[in-house]
Amino acid sequence: MNPLQRYIADEIAIDHIDGLLPRREAMRRLALLGLGSAAASALLAACSTAQEQSEAPQPRLVPETSTGPAQPPGMAHVLPTQSISWNGSAGPLQGAWAQAADAKGAVLVIHENKGLNDWVRSVAGRLAGAGFSALAIDLLSEKGGTAVFHDPAEATAALGAIAPDQFTHDINSGIAELTLRAPGQKVGVVGFCFGGGLVWQLLTAGALGVSAAVPFYGPLPPNPDFAGSKAAVLGIYGALDSRVTGSQATAKAALDRFGLINELVVEPGADHAFFNDTGPRYNATAAADAWRRLLDWFSGYLSA
């Protein structure tokens, strides 16, 4: 398994341990990733043991409902997106485009491991409503696009089968398309979970043309080398998400070593995927704070 595949497998195991997936479903999803029953059972057992042996165990799920009078951050001014396609390095790529009025920057949005779904489109629309034209890329384009997968678990498995380098090529193609649609604008990238890991991966590849990057609770590549990157980086983590947040110190050291402007924020009481208002770990307080920080970061480094 490559690091991103391992990340997906661990995420499935933790969802099971946290009571979000029954064992049968967790085993099915791990099988789709290519794990045999023995390896899948061992992974579930290892993750369970690791959680039990944590030095400071704490309740992991502290969800705040996204229903009721309070809207998710940015939804009050969300703009519609339109489906677009363009030529990438390995064939046609698909995405959702939202044009901001009087844009002050442009942002590429990188989805979670479920592909380009309605929630990701809403993030692009929210960014456009806040003044940043946005393109949400579909990294399953070479598989026909996220829409062809009726089972989200199969979409996740298909992403796990794509070579990590191809993601970087596709993301760079997305950045090139974004600059064509937003000429003269500085470019930022934001990614969530799996997509947050791809933001870190992009930074290790140089992130050419990217002025600001915001990885949300994304796995850090081993021995990160950001020598070729010039982006200002805002890393956002959840305090309860020990699996990912544990890499914060390493990320900070690498960003400082290579001279990148950076700020790393750990949202208290928030778990993995806390920004996704359609998921069980949504935390409204943390999401609102992260959204404010995201907009301030892009305003500071894309508008200047």
Side-chain angles (χ1 to χ4, degrees):
M1 278 191 173
N2 64 51
L4 284 175
Q5 285 176 312
R6 177 66 194 207
Y7 169 79
I8 292 172
D10 286 348
E11 190 165 77
I12 292 169
I14 290 173
D15 282 351
H16 166 65
I17 293 164
D18 285 348
L20 301 180
L21 287 177
R23 181 180 177 84
R24 182 186 296 273
E25 178 61 15
M27 293 290 287
R28 183 183 77 87
R29 295 188 184 194
L30 290 170
L32 289 171
L33 284 177
L35 272 72
S37 59
S41 294
L43 175 62
L44 296 181
C47 286
S48 179
T49 300
Q51 182 165 314
E52 289 172 359
Q53 293 177 347
S54 172
E55 293 182 3
Q58 52 186 318
R60 289 182 53 83
L61 294 181
V62 188
E64 296 184 21
T65 179
S66 59
T67 61
Q71 291 182 302
M75 285 299 291
H77 304 288
V78 65
L79 294 181
T81 62
Q82 65 179 91
S83 297
I84 64 168
S85 63
W86 67 96
N87 291 324
S89 62
L93 291 169
Q94 303 172 32
W97 165 250
Q99 173 70 58
D102 194 22
K104 50 189 177 182
V107 178
L108 186 76
V109 182
I110 307 175
H111 54 69
E112 300 175 326
N113 66 21
K114 298 176 181 63
L116 179 56
N117 55 24
D118 287 344
W119 177 76
V120 181
R121 292 185 184 90
S122 84
V123 173
R126 288 184 244 178
L127 283 165
F132 300 96
S133 294
L135 171 59
I137 189 171
D138 188 345
L139 294 174
L140 282 166
S141 294
E142 68 177 56
K143 304 291 186 180
T146 301
V148 306
F149 294 91
H150 301 297
D151 179 356
E154 292 184 355
T156 299
L159 283 167
I162 297 173
D165 286 349
Q166 187 59 51
F167 289 132
T168 300
H169 292 317
D170 289 348
I171 290 167
N172 281 325
S173 293
I175 291 169
E177 178 67 17
L178 189 60
T179 59
L180 289 175
R181 290 177 175 270
Q185 300 286 331
K186 290 184 178 180
V187 172
V189 294
V190 60
F192 302 88
C193 304
F194 174 83
L198 292 179
V199 172
W200 287 119
Q201 182 175 302
L202 181 68
L203 291 167
T204 65
L208 296 178
V210 175
S211 297
V214 184
F216 271 73
Y217 32 76
L220 190 70
N223 304 312
D225 181 343
F226 303 131
S229 180
K230 304 296 183 184
V233 180
L234 172 65
I236 297 180
Y237 301 86
L240 305 183
D241 183 17
S242 58
R243 178 174 61 117
V244 174
T245 305
S247 65
Q248 178 196 5
T250 302
K252 176 67 175 174
L255 291 165
D256 289 345
R257 182 165 66 253
F258 293 106
L260 273 65
I261 296 169
N262 69 88
E263 181 181 354
L264 302 185
V265 176
V266 180
E267 294 288 353
D271 206 333
H272 189 67
F274 70 80
F275 192 79
N276 187 336
D277 53 277
T278 68
R281 294 187 175 100
Y282 178 61
N283 185 306
T285 301
D289 183 68
W291 180 251
R292 176 186 61 80
R293 292 176 183 273
L294 168 76
L295 296 184
D296 287 349
W297 198 260
F298 283 153
S299 293
Y301 295 103
L302 301 186
S303 303

